[in-house]
Amino acid sequence: MDYRERYELWLNSPHIDEADREELRGLPEEEIRDRFYMELGFGTAGLRGIRGIGSNRMNAYVVRRVAEAYGRVLKRNDSPELKNGVIMAYDCRIMSRELALEAGRVLSAAGIRVYMFDDYRSTPEISYAIRCRQAAGGFMFTASHNPPEYNGLKVYNAQGCQLSDEQSRHVMEELESIEGFGDIGYDPKGKTIRSMPGSQNQKYLKTIRGLHQGKPNRDLRIAFTPLHGVGGQVVRDLFSRLGYNLTVVESQFAPNGNFPTTRKPNPEETESLKLLMETGQEAGAHLLLATDPDADRLGVAVLHEGQYRVITG
């Protein structure tokens, strides 16, 4: 199928919202080619792409298709964990919550129970929740450290890990068998979607605190930034509870999917740590820490001979 055929398929499908069809009608030819020359690739890390309408974009229709394929694989395997449902989480990126609900409605149509967090969560927390609740797997909606126009979907198995090569292959085979949007189940009311109990978050935080060994070094001054991601409140609360001297970059503390102070919120790139280094100098910090938007990637710099040296991965 070439890009024009794929475009016409979307344009004429009764399953595409009229507002989205109107957007498609107004696209110039070059944009049509870019949005439809391929399907957004699925792999062991899930999906990731620029937000927008089209087969090569991150949107509700692409997410529904993946959720349908994933649900089919879970039901075919009939694992004992399936009775405990699937965990759904999302970070602060634009449309993350909306896309999570779309995936949940597809799984609901398949009769699979979905436990969805009621607010932003980090990627490590969904892994913990899957294992803690012995769930069949989970979805995390995030584009990690990519620029703000991106979003994505990380898919997890019952071990709380991203899919293995074999598991990913099974999902891809199901994806290829879905011929059109009419093959996808959809429950607009999301009858099987449940809110994740608040106690789950407390279990996670308690477990992390339990990893700390010895007494905190109260003379160690630390500066931290979540780079507008979801790690801010969790990290600040943890360090405070443990008794550490922590200063945060206030202008980057609140979750914001537009990432207004950094083009690419990757804590492993020195350019993204500029404001953190400035805050660290003002606070006399010995150690700098930064997390990416979904808080599963860490940047570290240490004070050495009067300058901050970034530690490589």
Side-chain angles (χ1 to χ4, degrees):
M1 187 181 297
D2 66 20
Y3 79 91
R4 258 286 163 186
E5 291 175 310
R6 195 173 283 119
Y7 168 73
E8 294 292 340
L9 184 67
W10 280 57
L11 187 63
N12 297 314
S13 171
H15 301 281
I16 301 292
D17 291 345
E18 184 55 38
D20 294 331
R21 255 201 299 270
E22 191 61 33
E23 179 181 336
L24 292 176
R25 292 190 189 102
L27 295 176
E29 192 66 22
E30 191 58 37
E31 182 70 9
I32 292 173
R33 182 182 290 108
D34 188 55
R35 291 193 187 201
F36 288 95
Y37 80 94
M38 62 176 285
E39 301 278 357
L40 197 62
F42 181 86
T44 55
L47 288 174
R48 193 173 299 178
I50 296 171
R51 297 188 317 278
I53 303 303
S55 61
N56 188 34
R57 292 292 188 269
M58 190 68 185
N59 54 66
Y61 309 105
V62 169
V63 166
R64 289 176 191 172
R65 188 165 170 263
V66 172
E68 174 71 24
Y70 179 75
R72 290 182 186 183
V73 171
L74 288 182
K75 295 193 76 172
R76 185 175 69 231
N77 292 342
D78 195 26
S79 62
E81 294 89 357
L82 192 55
K83 69 179 184 298
N84 299 323
V86 168
I87 310 298
M88 197 73 63
Y90 55 92
D91 71 359
C92 62
R93 281 188 179 265
I94 297 169
M95 284 192 68
S96 282
R97 176 175 169 78
E98 291 85 348
L99 294 176
L101 283 168
E102 288 296 299
R105 289 163 182 155
V106 172
L107 295 178
S108 178
I112 297 173
R113 187 169 297 173
V114 175
Y115 290 94
M116 187 168 175
F117 285 100
D118 59 2
D119 201 354
Y120 306 137
R121 289 292 183 269
S122 68
T123 289
E125 185 160 0
I126 189 173
S127 290
Y128 177 87
I130 290 169
R131 294 175 67 89
C132 183
R133 300 180 67 85
Q134 297 182 312
F139 284 179
M140 174 67 190
F141 285 86
T142 176
S144 190
H145 55 283
N146 283 91
E149 61 267 26
Y150 282 76
N151 210 326
L153 164 61
K154 296 178 179 179
V155 185
Y156 291 85
N157 60 23
Q159 288 72 49
C161 301
Q162 291 184 16
L163 301 185
S164 67
D165 289 342
E166 182 179 3
Q167 290 169 330
S168 179
R169 179 173 55 79
H170 291 159
V171 174
M172 285 189 281
E173 288 171 354
E174 288 294 341
L175 280 170
E176 291 171 0
S177 73
I178 299 173
E179 296 184 359
F181 297 117
D183 290 348
I184 300 171
Y186 189 73
D187 172 17
K189 294 184 178 180
K191 293 187 290 291
T192 71
I193 300 176
R194 305 285 186 271
S195 292
M196 178 68 74
S199 58
Q200 183 61 45
N201 189 53
Q202 296 307 311
K203 289 179 182 178
Y204 175 65
L205 298 176
K206 182 178 179 181
T207 298
I208 295 176
R209 289 197 299 271
L211 298 173
H212 188 273
Q213 298 181 12
K215 295 181 178 180
N217 180 353
R218 299 185 187 280
D219 296 325
L220 178 68
R221 292 189 294 276
I222 305 169
F224 165 70
T225 178
L227 293 174
H228 301 291
V230 301
Q233 198 63 48
V234 171
V235 171
R236 183 159 67 179
D237 289 353
L238 284 168
F239 276 72
S240 176
R241 289 283 295 271
L242 292 169
Y244 282 96
N245 183 343
L246 184 75
T247 301
V248 302
V249 181
E250 292 292 348
S251 62
Q252 296 181 327
F253 190 77
N256 187 333
N258 290 307
F259 309 108
T261 66
T262 178
R263 171 63 188 161
K264 190 176 181 183
N266 185 350
E268 293 180 300
E269 295 185 6
T270 303
E271 180 61 28
S272 296
L273 305 181
K274 181 180 179 181
L275 291 179
L276 176 61
M277 289 184 176
E278 292 176 1
T279 299
Q281 288 173 345
E282 293 171 2
H286 306 101
L287 175 67
L288 307 182
L289 301 175
T291 50
D292 70 338
D294 61 323
D296 68 346
R297 179 176 293 226
L298 181 69
V300 181
V302 295
L303 188 64
H304 179 69
E305 296 180 349
Q307 293 185 331
Y308 289 117
R309 300 287 183 87
V310 177
I311 296 175
T312 70

